[in-house]
Amino acid sequence: MSFPLKMLKLLIKHKIKPICIFDGRPHEGKMACEKKRSTDRSKNMELAKQHSEEGNREEARKFVTRSLLVKSQDTDLFKEVLDQLGIFHYTAPYEADAQMAYMVREGLASFAITEDSDLIAFGCTKIVVKMDYKGAAESFDLDEFRAATPSADWNEQLRTFQKMDADEFLTACVMAGCEYIKSIDRVGLKRILNDYQKAKSCKQIIEDMKIH
């Protein structure tokens, strides 16, 4: 809890009013994914115990981290601390990512701070990532990216992404694999973007896949 509070106080110090968004109810479309995550957490805890018994402290710590689950009591306690500090918080109907993206798109928030690139797929136009305790961070502005002149170090996938509208990019992300439906075998975002250069639409890529 100390790290997020330290980051929130840093924002306030720099006259930035934070809004904390929490995940809401589990989405029915992600039940299979949530079940797999639960199984993975159990496996990681077993691996952590194994490495601990063998004296591999670093490996044990790594797998313990992967097995952690934030409990509702912890979330409720954190919300109480936020109330005491006067920091506004909101629980999303389902995923916090989608809520954050919506708030930025609708002008309810200036930008989103995250470590999750899913916000780009959700259509979030301004994102701050990799922020450290000193306030150093990287930013992504979707509107500036679309208006930018491609530089020499841009690869073909990045150039293709720049040309896609929001609906096409979201479709590409779903095709490349998401948590709501089963992924297409041997298909990732890089392949989708490469195929898009020739097909010019995700619908055509799907049609081409049916043939081949």
Side-chain angles (χ1 to χ4, degrees), residues 25-32 94 180:
R25 299 186 302 275
H27 197 288
E28 292 182 3
K30 289 184 64 176
M31 290 306 176
Y94 296 104
Y180 294 91

Side-chain angles (χ1 to χ4, degrees), residues 52-70:
S52 179
E53 292 171 356
E54 295 172 354
N56 301 325
R57 297 180 61 183
E58 288 300 320
E59 286 296 302
R61 187 179 294 111
K62 179 176 70 175
F63 284 105
V64 165
T65 302
R66 293 178 181 177
S67 68
L68 294 178
L69 174 66
V70 178

Side-chain angles (χ1 to χ4, degrees), residues 103-150:
M103 293 177 71
V104 174
R105 289 199 314 269
E106 296 300 313
L108 301 173
S110 301
F111 56 88
I113 301 175
T114 182
E115 293 301 318
D116 197 335
S117 58
D118 286 357
L119 265 74
I120 299 176
F122 280 119
C124 190
T125 53
K126 291 181 175 63
I127 302 171
V128 172
V129 297
K130 299 180 180 179
M131 192 173 84
D132 64 22
Y133 66 96
K134 292 183 179 179
E138 297 179 11
S139 64
F140 174 78
D141 186 307
L142 184 60
D143 295 329
E144 289 182 1
F145 170 69
R146 295 202 184 285
T149 301

Side-chain angles (χ1 to χ4, degrees), residues 40-53 63 67:
D40 289 344
R41 281 194 294 268
S42 298
K43 290 179 179 178
N44 285 324
M45 181 55 74
E46 289 300 318
L47 287 169
K49 291 178 181 178
Q50 178 183 327
H51 283 293
S52 179
E53 292 171 356
F63 284 105
S67 68

Side-chain angles (χ1 to χ4, degrees), residues 3-22:
F3 181 74
L5 287 176
K6 183 182 293 185
M7 303 303 279
L8 288 168
K9 290 178 180 179
L10 177 65
L11 294 173
I12 294 171
K13 178 182 178 181
H14 289 279
K15 311 299 182 184
I16 297 172
K17 182 179 179 180
I19 304 172
C20 293
I21 308 299
F22 293 88

Side-chain angles (χ1 to χ4, degrees), residues 171-184 187-189 192:
T171 302
C173 290
V174 172
M175 291 172 63
C178 73
E179 298 172 337
Y180 294 91
I181 59 175
K182 185 178 179 180
S183 300
I184 305 173
V187 173
L189 188 58
I192 296 295

